[in-house]
Amino acid sequence: SAVISQKPSRDICQRGTSLTIQCQVDSQVTMMFWYRQQPGQSLTLIATANQGSEATYESGFVIDKFPISRPNLTFSTLTVSNMSPEDSSIYLCSVVGLSGANVLTFGAGSRLTVL
Amino acid sequence: AQRVTQPEKLLSVFKGAPVELKCNYSYSGSPELFWYVQYSRQRLQLLLRHISRESIKGFTADLNKGETSFHLKKPFAQEEDSAMYYCALRGYSGAGSYQLTFGKGTKLSVIP
């Protein structure tokens, strides 16, 4: 399965700032996604990162707050904009590879704490 | 709408005892069900999927459409099974879609 590298692995941020999380995959993948896992909660899909076009956002998530880029088949970024303490979460990059197994593989996650 | 319910936040069992992690789902179509596991300090990874009908690390799960359940079972728990387990459902919201809905997870603790 694909190997996913996410960075930063963790960060502490000030209210009102923005942070960009990077996701790099070691092979071309068909689909890339961004999930959020708030403390004590389950994983929630933020959006599907589309290569060369705007991401597809799930209900409750908007591009102004979570701009996403995917310039090619192996790389994507998620920005958490104008952060507040409620944005403190683990953000996970995940992919469906080209192996044919059609299985979702996750990165290690980026743990953000907003003060 | 699709929903996954894991009723137990925490399940503690003794080593060698049987384990059953419950998962119920709500979905109007034919779902694809998964179990993901996250061991301490490791990333979330796929444990098994219902269409494979396989046993991984001694775990099995059978999709029961009548009861809309996909419980995860293992006859004899091992200490290394201690982890967070998430049940997930894949619905089909359009061509090429791949939206997974996760349950809130059950933390399994195997007592030596």
Side-chain angles (χ1 to χ4, degrees):
Chain A
S1 58
V3 176
I4 303 170
S5 300
Q6 250 185 270
K7 59 180 181 182
S9 58
R10 59 178 62 229
D11 207 339
I12 299 174
C13 308
Q14 296 298 318
R15 182 195 300 260
T17 63
S18 299
L19 182 78
T20 296
I21 302 167
Q22 298 181 2
C23 177
Q24 178 72 56
V25 191
D26 69 341
S27 58
Q28 292 185 347
V29 295
T30 55
M31 288 181 271
M32 296 182 79
F33 307 90
W34 287 97
Y35 280 81
R36 180 175 73 181
Q37 186 175 26
Q38 293 177 300
Q41 301 296 315
S42 185
L43 289 84
T44 302
L45 180 63
I46 297 172
T48 302
N50 300 309
Q51 191 236 336
S53 63
E54 189 173 293
T56 304
Y57 289 85
E58 298 300 310
S59 175
F61 298 96
V62 295
I63 187 172
D64 290 345
K65 177 66 176 178
F66 298 101
I68 289 170
S69 77
R70 188 180 173 191
N72 55 53
L73 291 176
T74 64
F75 184 78
S76 178
T77 67
L78 167 74
T79 298
V80 186
S81 303
N82 188 26
M83 286 185 283
S84 66
E86 292 72 34
D87 295 320
S88 297
S89 282
I90 299 174
Y91 292 86
L92 296 133
C93 174
S94 63
V95 305
V96 176
L98 293 171
S99 65
N102 206 27
V103 169
L104 200 61
T105 302
F106 284 87
S110 299
R111 181 185 293 271
L112 301 188
T113 302
V114 184
L115 303 178
Chain B
Q2 52 198 61
R3 188 169 66 245
V4 176
T5 302
Q6 291 179 252
E8 302 141 328
K9 290 186 68 173
L10 174 65
L11 181 64
S12 296
V13 300
F14 286 100
K15 178 181 174 180
V19 175
E20 183 178 51
L21 298 165
K22 291 184 167 52
C23 172
N24 288 90
Y25 67 89
S26 173
Y27 183 64
S28 56
S30 290
E32 188 174 359
L33 275 297
F34 304 82
W35 277 98
Y36 279 81
V37 60
Q38 188 167 27
Y39 300 102
S40 178
R41 300 184 185 281
Q42 294 187 28
R43 66 186 63 193
L44 194 63
Q45 58 187 286
L46 178 69
L47 179 62
L48 55 79
R49 57 198 300 200
H50 89 270
I51 62 172
S52 300
R53 300 188 66 81
E54 57 192 346
S55 173
I56 304 293
K57 299 185 179 182
F59 284 98
T60 58
D62 291 320
L63 178 61
N64 186 322
K65 292 186 177 181
E67 296 182 358
T68 60
S69 68
F70 189 57
H71 303 328
L72 184 67
K73 300 178 183 180
K74 184 170 182 177
F76 308 104
Q78 303 298 315
E79 289 181 64
E80 54 266 30
D81 296 329
S82 295
M84 195 76 181
Y85 291 81
Y86 294 92
C87 182
L89 177 152
R90 178 188 179 189
Y92 294 86
S93 59
S97 69
Y98 198 106
Q99 180 175 351
L100 276 188
T101 299
F102 285 84
K104 291 190 174 182
T106 298
K107 184 175 182 179
L108 175 65
S109 177
V110 180
I111 305 165

